[in-house]
Amino acid sequence: MTGFHTSESEDAGRGAVEATDSVADAAHAVAAQETGDEPNGPFKAIPSGLHHHLRPFFTDIREEVVRAIKTEIPEYARPTDDTYMQVVQRGVEHALQGFLERMAQPDTDWEPVKETYRRIGRGEADEGRSLDSFQSALRLGARVTWRRINALVDAELLPRNVLAAFGEALFLHLDEMAAATTAGYTEARLHRAGELQQRRARLLDLLTADPPASAEAISELAHTAGWPVPRALAVVAIDRGPRPAAAARPIVPPEFLARFDVRPAVLVVPDPEGPGRARAVSGALHGLRTAMAPTVALHEGARSLRWASEALELVRRGILPDRACI
């Protein structure tokens, strides 16, 4: 890759954001009553005053739920790390307390509890954990609670006719907690992805700045952007035509830095003469009109960008020929 290379055609499609898991199937564990489409219908079907009878048992239920989660879900079975158990204990406490409050007042404002679970979801994302374990904990908590309520009925401490309404309300509550957690988790993941993209765009600007940035500044920003600092680089100028920046963009390997919101669009290729780099650039930009500058040292990004931009302009004017990229 010591010379200029050019090509031309349509944009490639963009990948979609990975979908998160849900626990909606848990709601089918109990036979539902006819409550219509009203969100709090199952809670309104629960006999009045049942929450008073249940409240004395909820401390034991909470402790059993926490023990079961710690025992059955490896992610939370870490005796030397209290972080995981603090999350689950807080979650169990809010889940059971919120459930009792909804039983007592079916029309109560559920948003504060939902916000608690959105925060938990955001916290799981910020810690870099999958949401699978937390959602497994929610499902396990619902099963333990359901089992304990059945035991109370069998011991004739609760009337049997409360089971159907209680079960439907319990699993509706579970679904809504899971949905709130997933919403918070997804929000945090998207926010982090946006921040990372902004850092990578700033890094590209830093690498192509004139006068060049210091090696320390580049190294620091590269670290926060998750980009290994190479020994050399090459800049590719890309002609995307008159289409707006929001149009479909090429999918480039994660080790490349790209900006498609400028004209010409710019791609920074680290260690461009390394194994497989030529194929990676060709595959990512296949069919697009591009001009790739020669390999330069890390501090010469501005020169590489200037060469690539000038070459692309010469191609547009027909002075340099188009030919297959790389």
Side-chain angles (χ1 to χ4, degrees), residues 286-324:
H286 178 70
L288 288 168
R289 174 186 286 164
T290 65
M292 184 171 181
T295 299
V296 297
L298 193 64
H299 65 279
E300 295 183 303
R303 178 184 298 180
S304 186
L305 174 59
R306 184 171 65 253
W307 286 343
S309 300
E310 290 173 354
L312 183 61
E313 180 59 29
L314 293 175
V315 172
R316 289 189 187 124
R317 292 163 56 186
I319 297 174
L320 285 180
D322 285 346
R323 61 175 181 265

Side-chain angles (χ1 to χ4, degrees), residues 16-223:
V17 176
E18 183 182 58
T20 53
D21 293 332
S22 75
V23 293
D25 55 332
H28 301 295
V30 181
Q33 289 187 337
E34 292 295 330
T35 55
D37 295 330
E38 187 177 354
N40 287 318
F43 286 94
K44 291 184 176 180
I46 291 177
S48 176
L50 181 61
H51 63 286
H52 288 305
H53 296 287
L54 289 177
R55 192 176 294 276
F57 303 106
F58 264 47
T59 297
D60 289 341
I61 293 175
R62 182 192 64 218
E63 292 176 356
E64 184 175 343
V65 169
V66 172
R67 283 197 304 270
I69 290 172
K70 187 174 181 179
T71 301
E72 299 184 31
I73 301 179
E75 187 74 17
Y76 297 103
R78 300 189 179 188
T80 59
D81 188 346
D82 292 335
T83 301
Y84 293 95
M85 289 315 300
Q86 288 173 359
V87 170
V88 74
Q89 286 171 348
R90 186 167 65 250
V92 171
E93 180 69 33
H94 280 288
L96 293 176
Q97 187 60 37
F99 187 69
L100 281 177
E101 290 174 0
R102 294 184 82 182
M103 289 176 62
Q105 298 179 322
D107 292 325
T108 190
D109 184 7
W110 172 230
E111 281 305 312
V113 182
K114 282 186 178 180
E115 179 54 33
T116 294
Y117 278 87
R118 283 191 285 266
R119 284 198 302 271
I120 291 174
R122 289 193 289 268
E124 294 291 282
D126 290 342
E127 292 294 327
R129 293 191 290 264
S130 164
L131 204 55
D132 293 345
S133 293
F134 190 81
Q135 290 185 330
S136 294
L138 287 179
R139 289 193 293 267
L140 179 58
R143 290 199 303 272
V144 170
T145 302
W146 178 243
R147 187 166 61 239
R148 286 295 304 269
I149 296 302
N150 275 271
L152 292 174
V153 170
D154 291 341
E156 298 184 349
L157 296 174
L158 292 175
R160 186 164 297 277
N161 63 4
V162 306
L163 282 179
F166 182 91
E168 187 180 4
L170 174 65
F171 288 102
L172 170 65
H173 193 65
L174 169 68
D175 277 350
E176 293 179 345
M177 288 187 298
T181 306
T182 299
Y185 185 86
T186 303
E187 174 190 329
R189 288 287 298 272
L190 291 174
H191 180 70
R192 290 181 65 191
E195 284 189 338
L196 184 64
Q197 185 57 39
Q198 290 176 2
R199 292 191 191 111
R200 290 170 72 89
R202 291 200 301 270
L203 178 58
L204 186 152
D205 292 342
L206 204 62
L207 288 166
T208 55
D210 188 13
S214 68
E216 291 78 11
I218 290 173
S219 178
E220 182 178 347
L221 185 53
H223 176 73

Side-chain angles (χ1 to χ4, degrees), residues 233-261:
L233 59 81
V235 173
V236 182
I238 307 164
D239 186 2
R240 302 190 65 238
R243 282 161 290 189
R249 300 172 179 179
I251 301 173
V252 301
E255 65 269 24
F256 294 177
L257 299 176
R259 283 201 62 176
F260 295 104
D261 58 341

